[in-house]
Amino acid sequence: MAAHPSYDVTVIDHPLVRVKLSAIRSVDTSLAGFREGITELATLMTFEVTRSLQTRECTIQTPLAGYAGSRLARPIILAPILRAGLGMLEGMLKVLSGAGVAHIGLFRNEETRMPESYYFKAPPGLAQADVIVADPMLATGGSAAAAITQLKEHGALSIRYMCLVSCPPGIERLQAVHPDVPIFTAAIDPELNDRAYIVPGLGDAGDRFFGT
């Protein structure tokens, strides 16, 4: 895990992350292989995204003796951006099985390329939780910024953003709108094409995950 020299972004540069990301980038990867890869990547990345979470001491009883253990200081709420973000949820829940789940429905207007909201539902207690927003791609940054704005409007104070692939325009926009939100990604690709898709990217993550 390392900070990118040009951006205030954490790039999770782990050998397994690189290998699995390469696999899901491939146009030859099957639907089953893509789903499996997304889930595995999300699981691996969650360990690094949560590395700085605070814990507090708790006393537990093992079969042999008492023990001073640890538990998370704050509840966790996962916030996948629909629909592609749902593909990351299973992998994140493998690590954070007790987390609450918010659902943020946004779609990109293909004419304006701006995000439009159609659904928002979150567990209570956003202000007391550590919230992890998840979406496979950080392209223009519009959806990410809009999702985080909605979470803040509903009381969220501690937010971090997790994506598989990002690019400079998306990073710059998200950091300009929400400079307090740390970004975690597996890769920073160089550019967007004329349809605002990341290049080389991995295509439309939602379509590839859901087979549409």
Side-chain angles (χ1 to χ4, degrees), residues 106-163:
L106 297 168
F107 70 93
R108 183 172 68 174
N109 185 307
E110 293 300 327
E111 293 184 2
T112 66
R113 295 179 181 170
M114 296 297 291
E116 296 187 14
S117 175
Y118 65 90
Y119 188 76
F120 182 94
K121 185 74 171 180
L126 280 173
Q128 291 75 45
D130 288 308
V131 181
I132 304 174
V133 180
D135 201 15
M137 316 298 286
L138 178 58
T140 65
S143 293
I148 292 169
T149 295
Q150 288 190 61
L151 286 163
K152 287 183 176 180
E153 289 173 348
H154 285 80
L157 300 172
S158 173
I159 305 172
R160 55 197 73 193
Y161 179 86
M162 169 181 170
C163 63

Side-chain angles (χ1 to χ4, degrees), residues 10-142:
T10 298
V11 178
I12 302 173
D13 186 28
H14 187 285
L16 292 179
V17 170
R18 293 198 301 271
V19 168
K20 293 180 185 299
L21 180 59
S22 296
I24 66 170
R25 284 186 189 269
S26 173
V27 70
D28 296 321
T29 297
S30 67
L31 175 61
F34 189 84
R35 287 174 172 167
E36 182 177 291
I38 291 281
T39 297
E40 292 176 343
L41 267 172
T43 300
L44 290 168
M45 292 180 67
T46 298
F47 283 99
E48 296 298 343
V49 173
T50 57
R51 181 178 290 276
S52 63
L53 291 180
Q54 295 182 348
T55 61
R56 60 184 179 185
E57 187 175 296
C58 65
T59 301
I60 62 172
Q61 182 70 36
T62 79
L64 300 176
Y67 177 75
S70 298
R71 63 181 176 183
L72 291 173
R74 294 159 59 87
I76 306 295
I77 293 177
L78 308 178
I81 299 176
L82 307 182
R83 65 182 169 135
L86 287 176
M88 300 170 66
L89 183 60
E90 180 182 352
M92 298 172 76
L93 286 171
K94 288 180 181 293
V95 181
L96 299 167
S97 58
V101 179
H103 292 84
I104 304 173
L106 297 168
F107 70 93
R108 183 172 68 174
N109 185 307
E110 293 300 327
E111 293 184 2
T112 66
R113 295 179 181 170
M114 296 297 291
E116 296 187 14
S117 175
Y118 65 90
Y119 188 76
F120 182 94
K121 185 74 171 180
L126 280 173
Q128 291 75 45
D130 288 308
V131 181
I132 304 174
V133 180
D135 201 15
M137 316 298 286
L138 178 58
T140 65

